[in-house]
Amino acid sequence: MTDGNRTAFVFPGQGSQYVGMGQALCDRFPEAGAVFDEAEEALGFGLRGLCFGGPDAELNRTEHTQPAILTVSVAALRVLEAQVGVVPSWVAGHSLGEYSALVCAGALGLADAVRVVRQRGRLMQQAVPEGEGGMAAVLGLEEPAVRELCEEAARGEVVAPANLNGGGQVVVSGAREAVRRAVQLARDRGARKVVELAVSAPFHCALMTPAAEGLRQVLEDVEVRPLRMGVVTNVEAALNADPGRVKALLAEQVVAPVRWEESVRALAGLGCEQVIELGPGRVLSGLVRRIDRSMSTSNLEKPEDLEKLGAEAEA
């Protein structure tokens, strides 16, 4: 497998982190260790210790979580590039994962990316005082129904669909009490399951406007290079290959819903046949399977995953 002309790489977002992530790749592959070296130098703190040993409370702090997941994802990417040699035709990422996708596409350097997402995490955390926002996953209702119940639950406050994940899964985000009203309405209207999420801030809604404004300033001095392949963006669920649009899309992404189902369908429409998830967890692989079973899925977060991908390449 030297050419992924029908392959997309996808990269996970916040929530996929766990203590121990990336350690097995670093222990076995120098390419992964080099990624951690570069990220640690850029950030000025020991990312290895945080990813490999925790504690959970520190890893789950948004300003730590975001650079940690990005670093593990890029470590998996560099191992795959070196060991198997597959080159994707397209890339996409879920929220934070879009930064990993942009590193893969060559638009962002790793050092810049980890510094930006650390600031992004801080800005998102600071936008709403802790405890005043919330998020909840609604399963078994389609997006139009969830949007309607959010409008009814708002009562002058912010609550709106934030992650349009597909497979009947929509995450809502907003002011805490408005989210709780939306949760009750979803249950009343026959949602299969509703889960309030343990998050530190209400991501991807209008309450994140201060974070979006701050992120625009952070991105001002960041170099965006020409893209080696197009990125299916969260904001538009469409392919972007224009480096001049990257910063505006990343800033808007903070307040806009993650259009993941549409992004996966866009990849299918482009002719994608194989999706490889790079980084911690398998959340995106599961969502892809629920959205469009015509595309095969696999993931790489540990050395044994690479062996499976290598065997597929030789088949």
Side-chain angles (χ1 to χ4, degrees), residues 139-214:
L139 284 73
L141 294 179
E142 293 304 318
E143 188 265 336
V146 176
R147 188 171 297 280
E148 183 178 315
L149 67 84
C150 282
E151 290 169 1
E152 188 175 330
R155 299 183 194 172
E157 294 185 301
V158 170
V159 61
N163 297 346
L164 311 177
N165 285 335
Q169 182 188 120
V170 179
V171 175
V172 301
S173 180
R176 182 178 60 181
E177 291 307 315
V179 169
R180 287 179 175 170
R181 289 192 293 270
V183 163
Q184 188 56 54
L185 283 172
R187 287 176 175 143
D188 292 345
R189 293 178 187 180
R192 187 171 72 253
K193 188 176 183 182
V194 186
V195 181
E196 292 191 52
L197 304 178
V199 294
S200 55
F203 305 131
H204 299 291
C205 74
L207 295 176
M208 288 288 109
T209 299
E213 292 168 355

Side-chain angles (χ1 to χ4, degrees), residues 212-234:
E213 292 168 355
L215 187 59
R216 283 189 184 93
Q217 295 175 15
V218 170
L219 288 165
E220 276 181 8
D221 297 327
V222 174
E223 180 188 6
V224 178
R225 299 187 287 262
L227 283 75
R228 292 193 293 264
M229 71 281 296
V231 178
V232 177
T233 69
N234 287 190

Side-chain angles (χ1 to χ4, degrees), residues 28-310:
R28 184 156 167 190
F29 299 106
E31 298 89 358
V35 170
F36 271 86
D37 289 343
E38 185 177 348
E40 287 184 329
E41 185 175 350
L43 293 170
F45 74 90
L47 204 56
R48 277 182 176 84
L50 185 64
C51 289
F52 302 169
D56 277 319
E58 284 299 301
L59 182 59
N60 291 336
R61 284 178 58 191
T62 301
E63 67 177 280
H64 292 160
T65 308
Q66 297 201 18
I69 290 175
L70 187 149
T71 299
V72 174
S73 295
V74 174
L77 168 68
R78 298 298 181 227
V79 169
L80 183 63
E81 289 173 334
Q83 300 296 321
V84 182
V86 62
V87 177
S89 289
W90 316 279
V91 291
H94 194 288
S95 189
L96 162 70
E98 193 163 317
Y99 288 81
S100 306
L102 287 161
V103 173
C104 179
L108 296 179
L110 173 63
D112 279 339
V114 292
R115 284 193 290 259
V116 169
V117 301
R118 189 181 191 192
Q119 286 295 103
R120 179 181 183 263
R122 286 174 175 166
L123 288 162
M124 292 170 85
Q125 185 61 66
Q126 292 165 1
V128 178
E130 194 160 354
E132 292 188 13
M135 298 181 77
V138 178
L139 284 73
L141 294 179
E142 293 304 318
E143 188 265 336
V146 176
R147 188 171 297 280
E148 183 178 315
L149 67 84
C150 282
E151 290 169 1
E152 188 175 330
R155 299 183 194 172
E157 294 185 301
V158 170
V159 61
N163 297 346
L164 311 177
N165 285 335
Q169 182 188 120
V170 179
V171 175
V172 301
S173 180
R176 182 178 60 181
E177 291 307 315
V179 169
R180 287 179 175 170
R181 289 192 293 270
V183 163
Q184 188 56 54
L185 283 172
R187 287 176 175 143
D188 292 345
R189 293 178 187 180
R192 187 171 72 253
K193 188 176 183 182
V194 186
V195 181
E196 292 191 52
L197 304 178
V199 294
S200 55
F203 305 131
H204 299 291
C205 74
L207 295 176
M208 288 288 109
T209 299
E213 292 168 355
L215 187 59
R216 283 189 184 93
Q217 295 175 15
V218 170
L219 288 165
E220 276 181 8
D221 297 327
V222 174
E223 180 188 6
V224 178
R225 299 187 287 262
L227 283 75
R228 292 193 293 264
M229 71 281 296
V231 178
V232 177
T233 69
N234 287 190
V235 170
E236 297 180 335
L239 206 63
N240 177 54
D242 179 0
R245 300 189 66 226
V246 166
K247 293 180 183 181
L249 286 164
L250 288 177
E252 188 179 351
Q253 186 217 59
V254 175
V255 294
V258 176
R259 296 166 62 183
W260 187 251
E261 179 173 13
E262 292 171 87
S263 296
V264 172
R265 295 198 188 285
L267 287 171
L270 290 163
C272 180
E273 295 176 355
Q274 179 185 36
V275 174
I276 301 176
E277 180 175 3
L278 296 165
R282 302 184 181 191
V283 170
L284 299 185
S285 300
L287 291 175
V288 170
R289 284 193 297 272
R290 288 209 293 268
I291 294 164
D292 190 330
R293 288 191 171 274
S294 71
M295 294 183 286
S296 68
T297 59
S298 49
N299 72 300
L300 172 56
E301 62 174 319
K302 296 176 180 175
E304 52 265 35
D305 300 324
L306 185 72
E307 291 158 13
K308 293 175 194 170
L309 285 165

Side-chain angles (χ1 to χ4, degrees), residues 1-20:
M1 187 192 294
T2 56
D3 175 23
N5 61 354
R6 297 287 181 188
T7 299
F9 289 174
V10 299
F11 299 89
Q14 195 162 334
S16 296
Q17 72 274 6
Y18 60 89
V19 172

